Amino acid sequence: MYSYTLAREINSQLFKETCDKIEKSFPFVEKKKLLIDVDGSLLQDYFINGKKIRVQNDCDVYSVYVDSEIDLKDIFVSLV
């Protein structure tokens, strides 16, 4: 599992940019429904060949991060 912390604050714009970057980098990605937690956290899940990518704008830990079963560091270079 790979984990990427992109910001140590809640940042809706960075969350959206991260999702857009994943969608552009992987044209055949399977995008699931955006989940909004009761605390306002945003969770977006993607699947690529059965491997999961989760993007979170997490209000509990005040950060934007990605957990992924595939290495994504090359696509995040321009975001951080």
Side-chain angles (χ1 to χ4, degrees):
M1 181 70 77
Y2 298 90
S3 292
Y4 307 93
T5 300
L6 303 177
R8 297 200 185 277
E9 62 186 4
I10 299 168
N11 187 325
S12 298
Q13 182 62 33
L14 181 58
F15 175 84
K16 182 181 180 329
E17 290 173 6
T18 302
C19 291
D20 289 346
K21 187 75 168 177
I22 289 169
E23 292 169 28
K24 288 178 185 171
S25 296
F26 301 99
F28 300 105
V29 69
E30 179 186 349
K31 181 180 179 178
K32 297 297 184 178
K33 182 179 176 185
L34 175 67
L35 301 175
I36 303 172
D37 200 351
V38 294
D39 66 1
S41 295
L42 303 173
L43 294 93
Q44 181 65 63
D45 287 338
Y46 297 96
F47 287 89
I48 300 171
N49 296 327
K51 295 187 178 189
K52 184 176 181 178
I53 300 170
R54 173 171 277 181
V55 182
Q56 295 189 67
N57 191 29
D58 196 321
C59 294
D60 283 337
V61 296
Y62 298 103
S63 63
V64 177
Y65 61 93
V66 178
D67 290 326
S68 175
E69 293 182 308
I70 59 174
D71 187 358
L72 301 172
K73 71 178 177 196
D74 290 340
I75 71 166
F76 293 135
V77 171
S78 64
L79 289 175
V80 292

